[in-house]
Amino acid sequence: MMEYKETKLDILVTYCQRRVKHCMFIIEYNFWWNIRESNEMRSVHHFHRAADSRMDLLPDVWRQDYWLPPGVTWSDVEQLADSDRPRPHDLLIALPLALGFVALRYVFERFFAPPMGRCLGVKNRLQVTAAPSPQLESFYTQRSRQPTQSEIVRLMLLCGKTQRQIETWFRLRRNQDRPSFTKKFAEAAWRFFFYLTAFMAGLACLIDSPWFWDRRECWQQYPVQPMERAHYWYYMLELGFYGSLLLRIPVDIKRKDFKEQVIHHLATIFLLSFSYCANYIRIGTLVMLLHDSSDILLESAKMFNYGTGWRKTCDTLFVVFAVAFLVTRLVIFPSKIIHTSLVLSMEEFEPFAGYYFFNILLMVLQALHIFWAGLIIRMVYKFLKGKLEKDERSDEESEVEEEEDDKGEEENADRGGDYCWKRSKDKMNSKLSMLTNSCVLNNLTNHRASVADKMRKAQ
């Protein structure tokens, strides 16, 4: 019986100890949990305080004075449903769209452009590779692609070759780096199909819009204007396409207007992004539709230019493109689009920061239009004179501006020495003629001086 009581007492003690340990565990757990929560609250408080201090240092980008006319607030715009009003974070979809366009372009140029090029008779030049020469290759890659006369003399002493051989080697080496016709055709075909698709889709979604026929409708009840889903996707696809062009700049063909193209792409991206955030969607859709209309003709003319047997078709498309470009970019764009944004908008609201920024971007585009119009007018002049052989704007590489005839690389290789010799002989003949003329003039001057001296002595 005594043993039983002791056993029962032990069980009671053990139970009490367990309860005490459990209570202590709960107390300790609550203690550390409260400490953790207090630390987190302090860290969050410090984070928000630091963020507030950083925001005080940065300008308030989303101030309504920058984006909205006077008297309009963001709360007025928020009256529209979320699906009917543009939001800045919608622009994030442009990045995956740009990457998607890059991948789609790769597939198009790899599998669809080559059969199209064969149908139009696109053929690459017959290229002759330059003979291996480490010294000349090092000079070509590190110094210059077109050496001067003094550099050619030094290379002659270094390589033990004649001037004719060195000039021929550099000419053949430059021709190796020139992009092939198939690559040019693939790039033109890709842009042609995008511009054609974008123009047809844009025309389909704008033909029933009131601001397509009456430009004053672009600013009715601005900025509280509902956005249609078709216009949203029209904006995002155009923005993604121009983003893909920027991503492809390092590998695309560099042309004479490379810098102007980069400025054009950047101005277009800024213009699309700002006009979307500020709900300038109505005037923005008209700008995109107008630009796509003439770009279709440009890329189609380039496609037929790279083919064989399509000279008349190419000339016809070039004339139509020149007329369309000059009319749309130098007449319709400033008289309709810029006038609508600059003048007609003032009938609905007063000027603000976004108004000036948007119109400055339109002016940048107009300056680029004038630059390209000058190149096109030069091409039209040469075309009328029968001297147009290449595209002043698009088919000339920026680094390589050669006046040589490309009727066949093999013939050029065979006749390259004679050509260089004739060119050097012409230079020598011109220098000799100049020396001869100077000698004759010197003899006449000396003769006159001697006669005058004799006359003075005789007097």
Side-chain angles (χ1 to χ4, degrees):
M1 188 69 180
M2 190 66 180
E3 292 179 358
Y4 173 76
K5 289 182 179 180
E6 290 178 356
T7 305
K8 190 174 180 179
L9 182 61
D10 293 338
I11 294 175
L12 182 61
V13 171
T14 304
Y15 174 77
C16 292
Q17 290 177 351
R18 289 178 180 177
R19 293 298 298 175
V20 170
K21 288 182 180 180
H22 181 68
C23 294
M24 291 297 294
F25 174 76
I26 293 176
I27 294 172
E28 185 178 3
Y29 176 79
N30 291 329
F31 174 76
W32 290 111
W33 179 260
N34 292 331
I35 291 178
R36 180 183 176 184
E37 284 187 343
S38 62
N39 291 334
E40 289 181 353
M41 290 298 294
R42 280 197 297 269
S43 62
V44 170
H45 176 70
H46 289 308
F47 172 78
H48 285 293
R49 188 168 59 184
D52 292 338
S53 63
R54 287 193 296 268
M55 290 300 294
D56 293 338
L57 296 176
L58 295 175
D60 191 2
V61 179
W62 299 106
R63 282 181 56 184
Q64 58 193 18
D65 299 340
Y66 298 159
W67 297 84
L68 300 176
V72 181
T73 62
W74 288 115
S75 59
D76 297 331
V77 181
E78 291 175 356
Q79 295 176 4
L80 299 171
D82 291 342
S83 59
D84 293 339
R85 62 184 174 92
R87 293 171 295 179
H89 67 266
D90 295 339
L91 298 176
L92 296 177
I93 197 176
L95 182 58
L97 285 176
L99 298 176
F101 274 120
V102 171
L104 186 61
R105 177 178 175 178
Y106 174 79
V107 174
F108 179 85
E109 293 182 351
R110 181 74 180 271
F111 299 102
F112 295 96
M116 293 171 55
R118 288 192 292 268
C119 292
L120 294 180
V122 178
K123 298 179 181 179
N124 293 326
R125 305 182 187 91
L126 295 176
Q127 292 186 351
V128 179
T129 59
S133 178
Q135 295 86 355
L136 297 180
E137 184 68 26
S138 176
F139 183 90
Y140 179 85
T141 55
Q142 299 178 6
R143 296 286 298 277
S144 174
R145 296 185 176 187
Q146 293 180 331
T148 61
Q149 191 67 28
S150 59
E151 292 173 341
I152 290 178
V153 173
R154 289 197 296 268
L155 291 173
M156 290 169 57
L157 298 175
L158 180 64
C159 301
K161 295 184 179 182
T162 62
Q163 178 180 352
R164 181 178 62 183
Q165 292 175 339
I166 291 178
E167 291 180 348
T168 303
W169 188 93
F170 274 94
R171 181 177 58 82
L172 295 177
R173 185 64 181 85
R174 287 194 297 268
N175 289 336
Q176 288 180 218
D177 289 344
R178 297 178 66 180
S180 62
F181 280 160
T182 54
K183 183 178 180 180
K184 292 181 178 181
F185 176 83
E187 180 179 327
W190 163 251
R191 297 192 182 194
F192 167 77
F193 277 102
F194 174 81
Y195 290 137
L196 180 62
T197 305
F199 177 76
M200 298 302 294
L203 186 63
C205 69
L206 289 176
I207 194 68
D208 296 330
S209 301
W211 63 87
F212 183 78
W213 307 101
D214 185 7
R215 289 174 289 116
R216 282 184 169 84
E217 290 292 331
C218 293
W219 312 110
Q220 291 295 328
Q221 298 179 352
Y222 175 82
V224 187
Q225 297 173 340
M227 176 187 62
E228 299 181 9
R229 298 306 296 175
H231 300 157
Y232 164 79
W233 284 110
Y234 188 29
Y235 249 82
M236 293 301 108
L237 290 175
E238 288 275 355
L239 190 59
F241 176 74
Y242 283 102
S244 69
L245 293 182
L246 280 181
L247 294 177
R248 290 272 306 185
I249 278 181
V251 296
D252 277 344
I253 300 171
K254 293 185 179 180
R255 310 182 189 279
K256 286 169 59 175
D257 59 346
F258 172 75
K259 295 180 180 179
E260 290 77 11
Q261 284 284 356
V262 174
I263 295 173
H264 174 267
H265 297 339
L266 291 175
T268 303
I269 290 175
F270 279 114
L271 186 66
L272 292 176
S273 302
F274 175 80
S275 62
Y276 182 82
C277 295
N279 205 8
Y280 275 30
I281 292 179
R282 294 186 177 183
I283 188 69
T285 52
L286 296 180
V287 173
M288 293 187 294
L289 187 69
L290 184 67
H291 281 72
D292 291 340
S293 60
S294 58
D295 289 337
I296 298 172
L297 298 171
L298 171 63
E299 302 303 333
S300 60
K302 290 164 65 175
M303 289 170 60
F304 284 101
N305 181 45
Y306 299 136
T308 55
W310 301 94
R311 177 52 54 189
K312 292 184 178 180
T313 305
C314 178
D315 293 342
T316 303
L317 288 173
F318 168 71
V319 172
V320 176
F321 159 72
V323 174
F325 185 91
L326 296 177
V327 171
T328 56
R329 307 296 178 91
L330 298 186
V331 179
I332 297 179
F333 186 77
S335 64
K336 303 296 182 180
I337 303 298
I338 295 182
H339 180 265
T340 300
S341 177
L342 200 62
V343 179
L344 296 184
S345 60
M346 294 294 95
E347 298 177 0
E348 299 294 331
F349 54 82
E350 298 179 0
F352 60 104
Y355 163 83
Y356 294 112
F357 182 72
F358 183 78
N359 285 283
I360 287 174
L361 292 177
L362 292 181
M363 295 298 179
V364 171
L365 288 182
Q366 184 59 32
L368 294 174
H369 295 165
I370 296 173
F371 169 77
W372 285 318
L375 295 181
I376 292 173
I377 291 173
R378 285 176 55 189
M379 294 169 60
V380 171
Y381 177 77
K382 291 183 179 180
F383 177 77
L384 295 177
K385 292 290 185 178
K387 298 180 180 180
L388 182 62
E389 298 179 356
K390 52 192 174 184
D391 187 351
E392 292 284 341
R393 172 183 177 270
S394 300
D395 290 344
E396 185 83 2
E397 284 72 297
S398 59
E399 294 91 351
V400 184
E401 296 182 2
E402 301 179 2
E403 300 293 336
E404 300 158 351
D405 192 9
D406 288 330
K407 295 182 180 179
E409 294 302 328
E410 290 183 350
E411 296 179 1
N412 285 342
D414 295 335
R415 298 182 302 173
D418 296 335
Y419 174 75
C420 295
W421 169 249
K422 290 179 181 179
R423 187 171 61 181
S424 60
K425 185 172 68 175
D426 293 338
K427 290 181 180 179
M428 292 175 62
N429 290 334
S430 62
K431 291 181 180 179
L432 287 174
S433 62
M434 292 175 62
L435 289 173
T436 303
N437 293 331
S438 62
C439 290
V440 171
L441 291 175
N442 291 332
N443 290 333
L444 288 174
T445 304
N446 294 331
H447 179 67
R448 289 177 182 176
S450 61
V451 170
D453 186 40
K454 291 179 181 178
M455 292 290 294
R456 284 195 298 271
K457 289 180 179 180
Q459 291 175 358

